[in-house]
Amino acid sequence: MGYSIHTICSAVRGRFASQGSDDTIENLVYDSRRILQPGSSLFFAIKTEHNDGHKYLLSAYKKGIRNFIVSETPTKPLTDSNVILVDDALEALQELAAFHRKHFLFPVIGITGSNGKTIVKEWLNLLLDEDYKIVRSPKSFNSQIGVPLSVWQMNEQYTLGIFEAGISNPGEMGELEKIIQPTIGVLTNIGEAHSEGFLDNSHKLAEKLQLFKSCPVLIARNKDIGGKKELIDRGTELLTWGSAEGNTFVVSSIKKQTDITEVILSYQFKSNTFNVPFVDDASVENAITCCCVLLVLGYGEDVIRQRIARLHAIDMRLQLKHSINDCLVINDSYSADVTSLKIALDFLKQQSSGLQRTVILSEFVESGRGDADLYSEIAKLLKNYEVSKVIGIGEKIIEQLSKKLPASTNFQGYFSTEDFINDFRISRFYKEVILIKGARKFEFERIAKLFEKKLHQTVLEIDLNALAHNLKEYQKLLGPTTKIMAMVKAFSYGSGGAEIASVLQYHNVDYLGVAYADEGVELVKAGIHLPIMVMNAEESSFQAIVDYNLQPVIYSFDLLYSFEKYLEEQAIKDYPVHLEIETGMNRLGFSSREVEEMAKH
């Protein structure tokens, strides 16, 4: 489903700074690194506290984008492009998503709370996907940018939407309400998480309830909402759960056993017993919230009991692990839908580090789309992300995907997971990054186990998502013009230099630092294109430094003269170096009295 660029200009109340052809827009992007279908994409130059999307207009243009929404006139002309000028690009993104949302009448579940939003969303998707064609927020896309991108996925093939909304500051939820416009509201809980921008929990509750100001039904814990019902919109029916008899859903018993919890929940004078496959308090409460939603939707006790028993832990982040034969494995073995496939392929691309990309994919069950259309889109995604080997499991994926992939793609098909396991040979996989992605019924966790590296009982796991999070925290403290160099010397101290360098590169680190030239050479061979500083340049490494465009640190006159002589012999007149000044540690570097002499060179 798309809109003409003129319709979009009107929807966001913008004006054309320049006009090209009357393009139809199907995709919204704000990150120039994630452009896949430029011809049908609209780029938003969003300003944040720590970055400015206008810096990436030329990068997006070079990748084929010809439709832009900006709040500043571009400094360089974007020839033959539609450039829409607005007051604020983020507001324009939100207005466009709200405009899009109004085209659909199917029910939408809106979820907010301090904790558990994504878990409840994913569990509701698992519980309801047999009966609905569901569009939902990818992962935890619940921010001022994530929500409009999530809602933009809505189209006529779906029959239910499930979107989550998170806020950090007062005033934000009102904008998200206009975009989601929920028909069923879910408040998971009110706790201490994300409290920085609020006076107290009552203030936070009032802000979060803005999501439901026009919502017909709201499901919430009585613990959070009791005594504060005046905050609920008069047109909203409040349905609370708790142990007291006055609640809509009365929890009369919670009995924890070894690995399950028996919950007795009464609704409309009928007692319902469910076995939740968890014993921790947070999971049990999230499961009770899901049961309440299903009861409101009219599901009976037997159906809910069967489906609740099938719930499993949701891994909130894609995990990358070292595997057999120098392979890397990304395990996403519990879901198969186009939205999550895009996210997983994006992660695959980040972590490739020059390795061959392989995807093990099950057929997509109950997608609500025609097979030809669905697998054409999947084939296009696999091609755009340069996947060179595809292993398809399931009759439909063999029939449909094999003939839609490029001839250069190595496709192997198996009718069942069992067939693949029986035919599995370790020798067929070598130095590849492998995405394992399958619908729950295919039990791809069995395939993931085949790739586990069973060498040591003690394992060090590096959480690349945590690494990226920590980097962003540092970036928040720095001015936008301050550059960052990340040290990855000693092959990241044995933890995988190329993989870590790929993450740092993707998240806009300016420099990488290595101890010796051979470490820098390995990074370049792995596909790293950031400037790489060599801390310990040696005369024997000069050729490798120049051949691989590394940048040496010069810390003595002997090294300066030697490198200068090498460049003259190679007829190289200009070459980037870094000069180290000794500032007190008395180890390496030019002293302050040597600076004037050094500058003559």
Side-chain angles (χ1 to χ4, degrees), residues 389-589:
K389 182 162 72 175
V390 177
I391 297 172
I393 297 181
E395 184 175 350
K396 286 184 179 179
I397 202 169
I398 293 173
E399 177 187 344
Q400 294 288 335
L401 191 60
S402 58
K403 55 192 178 186
K404 292 179 170 60
L405 290 168
S408 58
T409 304
N410 178 2
F411 180 83
Q412 302 164 29
Y414 296 89
F415 286 104
S416 69
T417 302
E418 199 68 38
D419 289 343
F420 173 80
I421 291 172
N422 291 336
D423 192 48
F424 180 78
R425 301 290 183 275
I426 290 176
S427 58
R428 294 176 182 170
F429 301 90
Y430 179 69
K431 287 191 175 181
E432 303 169 33
V433 57
I434 303 164
L435 170 63
I436 300 174
K437 185 160 187 61
R440 175 67 174 158
K441 63 179 280 189
F442 284 87
E443 299 179 335
F444 269 20
E445 63 271 20
R446 297 166 62 201
I447 292 178
K449 288 184 181 297
L450 298 175
F451 289 91
E452 289 181 0
K453 201 172 186 178
K454 301 178 179 67
L455 296 178
H456 306 286
Q457 290 183 332
T458 303
V459 176
L460 171 66
E461 291 190 2
I462 308 297
D463 189 333
L464 297 177
N465 294 287
L467 178 73
H469 167 77
N470 293 342
L471 172 63
K472 290 177 182 177
E473 291 301 308
Y474 279 108
Q475 289 171 329
K476 288 178 183 178
L477 302 175
L478 302 174
T481 59
T482 303
K483 294 185 177 182
I484 295 177
M485 182 174 73
M487 301 304 299
V488 290
K489 63 181 184 177
F491 301 101
S492 292
Y493 300 97
S495 59
E499 295 92 325
I500 288 177
S502 293
V503 175
L504 296 169
Q505 177 174 269
Y506 185 80
H507 290 283
N508 297 320
V509 160
D510 302 285
Y511 265 85
L512 297 176
V514 297
Y516 297 99
D518 62 328
E519 300 166 22
V521 169
E522 289 299 314
L523 293 179
V524 173
K525 287 181 176 179
I528 302 301
H529 53 72
L530 285 175
I532 299 173
M533 191 183 299
V534 180
M535 298 298 172
N536 299 296
E538 300 170 317
E539 192 168 348
S540 60
S541 67
F542 288 169
Q543 181 175 340
I545 286 172
V546 172
D547 287 348
Y548 288 91
N549 200 29
L550 308 177
Q551 300 182 11
V553 172
I554 305 297
Y555 50 81
S556 70
F557 279 113
D558 286 345
L559 188 59
L560 176 62
Y561 296 149
S562 297
F563 193 59
E564 191 174 37
K565 180 181 178 183
Y566 177 81
L567 294 178
E568 289 175 357
E569 291 173 351
Q570 303 299 316
I572 299 172
K573 292 189 176 182
D574 295 299
Y575 196 89
V577 300
H578 300 268
L579 303 173
E580 183 172 351
I581 307 299
E582 200 285 303
T583 58
M585 291 187 67
N586 296 312
R587 291 181 62 200
L588 298 174

Side-chain angles (χ1 to χ4, degrees), residues 111 117-125 137 139 162 164:
I111 306 170
K117 298 183 291 294
T118 305
I119 295 293
V120 169
K121 178 202 68 187
E122 292 298 327
W123 280 357
L124 286 175
N125 177 66
S137 308
K139 291 294 180 179
I162 310 176
E164 58 175 297

Side-chain angles (χ1 to χ4, degrees), residues 82-100:
N82 295 301
V83 179
I84 298 174
L85 190 62
V86 296
D87 292 333
D88 186 297
L90 175 57
E91 290 181 5
L93 173 64
Q94 295 171 341
E95 288 176 344
L96 180 56
F99 167 79
H100 178 65

Side-chain angles (χ1 to χ4, degrees), residues 72-258:
E72 297 175 1
T73 303
T75 55
K76 294 184 179 179
L78 303 172
T79 309
D80 299 325
S81 295
N82 295 301
V83 179
I84 298 174
L85 190 62
V86 296
D87 292 333
D88 186 297
L90 175 57
E91 290 181 5
L93 173 64
Q94 295 171 341
E95 288 176 344
L96 180 56
F99 167 79
H100 178 65
R101 166 68 179 91
K102 291 175 182 175
H103 289 76
F104 305 98
L105 298 177
F106 56 76
V108 169
I109 300 173
I111 306 170
T112 193
S114 297
N115 302 102
K117 298 183 291 294
T118 305
I119 295 293
V120 169
K121 178 202 68 187
E122 292 298 327
W123 280 357
L124 286 175
N125 177 66
L126 289 170
L127 295 166
L128 297 171
D129 70 350
E130 292 182 33
D131 308 301
Y132 294 91
K133 310 308 178 192
I134 301 173
V135 55
R136 70 190 194 279
S137 308
K139 291 294 180 179
S140 54
F141 274 37
N142 59 28
S143 66
Q144 298 293 300
I145 295 176
V147 168
L149 294 179
S150 299
V151 170
W152 182 257
Q153 300 174 102
M154 295 176 75
N155 62 47
E156 60 277 358
Q157 71 172 328
Y158 297 110
T159 58
L160 176 68
I162 310 176
F163 302 112
E164 58 175 297
I167 57 173
S168 302
N169 296 293
E172 293 180 337
M173 192 62 86
E175 297 304 318
L176 302 186
E177 187 278 332
K178 296 174 188 174
I179 301 168
I180 298 176
Q181 301 170 43
T183 57
I184 299 174
V186 174
L187 179 69
T188 57
N189 56 61
I190 295 295
E192 297 305 315
H194 313 295
S195 295
E196 297 86 352
F198 305 97
L199 300 175
D200 51 32
N201 279 356
S202 294
H203 183 207
K204 188 195 301 184
L205 173 63
E207 290 292 332
K208 288 186 178 291
L209 289 176
Q210 291 298 307
L211 179 61
F212 312 115
K213 64 182 181 182
S214 300
C215 186
V217 176
L218 170 60
I219 297 167
R221 295 192 311 178
N222 186 62
K223 180 179 178 180
D224 298 311
I225 212 80
K228 299 174 182 134
K229 296 181 181 179
E230 72 279 0
L231 298 174
I232 307 295
D233 188 88
R234 290 185 179 180
T236 300
E237 182 184 6
L238 176 62
L239 309 178
T240 60
W241 68 265
S243 58
E245 287 297 325
N247 289 293
T248 313
F249 309 92
V250 179
V251 182
S252 55
S253 174
I254 296 179
K255 294 181 180 178
K256 295 185 179 181
Q257 301 174 24
T258 304

